[in-house]
Amino acid sequence: MRKIEKIIIHCSATRCNKSYSFEQLERDHRRRGFGCCGYHYYITRNGQLHFGRSEEVVGAHAKGFNARSIGICYEGGLDEDGYPADTRNALQKHVLFKLLQALRADYPDAEILGHCELPGVQKACPCFLPSEEYKDI
């Protein structure tokens, strides 16, 4: 079993008025040379939780941190004009919260962070601060 030290949250960096399905995400990750989706979980706007990689498989979502982390991505992260924004809707927030509760039960010492909160990362992703929002989980 892998030692999980971080649960890292991402956004798909897609506009809030454009759909980006799990199938599209999977296709794009394969085109980038990954064997499958680089995330362990993906939450679409309709609140559906999609399973990417098994938690036992190292992700491809945060360079330098993949070996000891779980990657979660939500569909969105850009406003209609293409600027970074927290575009999560109520369904996505609910599913993410429940997923984080379950992961916390399995990995009680894992730190919950956004991609932007990792050292050396110069991205807005996931366009909110998970370490603050989920500090009480």
Side-chain angles (χ1 to χ4, degrees):
M1 183 168 194
R2 293 190 310 131
K3 178 167 175 48
I4 302 301
E5 296 174 350
K6 296 181 186 330
I7 300 168
I8 304 171
I9 302 172
H10 303 263
C11 65
S12 63
T14 51
R15 293 179 188 225
C16 62
N17 58 343
K18 304 285 183 186
S19 177
Y20 191 61
S21 69
F22 178 74
E23 293 74 22
Q24 288 171 299
L25 173 73
E26 177 91 8
R27 180 199 67 217
D28 290 346
H29 280 206
R30 287 182 186 274
R31 284 183 182 161
R32 291 175 58 194
F34 303 150
C36 62
C37 173
Y39 304 109
H40 297 92
Y41 300 97
Y42 184 60
I43 304 168
T44 50
R45 285 192 185 92
N46 65 0
Q48 187 170 359
L49 178 63
H50 298 267
F51 299 92
R53 295 183 182 207
S54 163
E55 290 179 16
E56 288 303 311
V57 176
V58 173
H61 58 91
K63 188 175 180 178
F65 298 92
N66 290 319
R68 295 185 180 244
S69 68
I70 298 291
I72 303 168
C73 182
Y74 76 90
E75 179 184 8
L78 300 178
D79 66 17
E80 291 181 5
D81 297 317
Y83 293 103
D86 181 0
T87 62
R88 293 172 300 152
N89 62 37
L91 284 171
Q92 287 175 303
K93 288 180 180 183
H94 175 75
V95 171
L96 179 56
F97 182 79
K98 291 297 188 183
L99 175 59
L100 290 172
Q101 285 181 316
L103 290 172
R104 174 65 84 204
D106 291 339
Y107 309 106
D109 297 325
E111 185 178 19
I112 298 172
L113 297 169
H115 191 190
C116 65
E117 297 180 280
L118 295 173
V121 173
Q122 301 294 315
K123 298 179 178 190
C125 172
C127 304
F128 73 100
L129 294 176
S131 64
E132 287 296 316
E133 188 165 329
Y134 301 115
K135 64 184 174 192
D136 295 328
I137 292 180

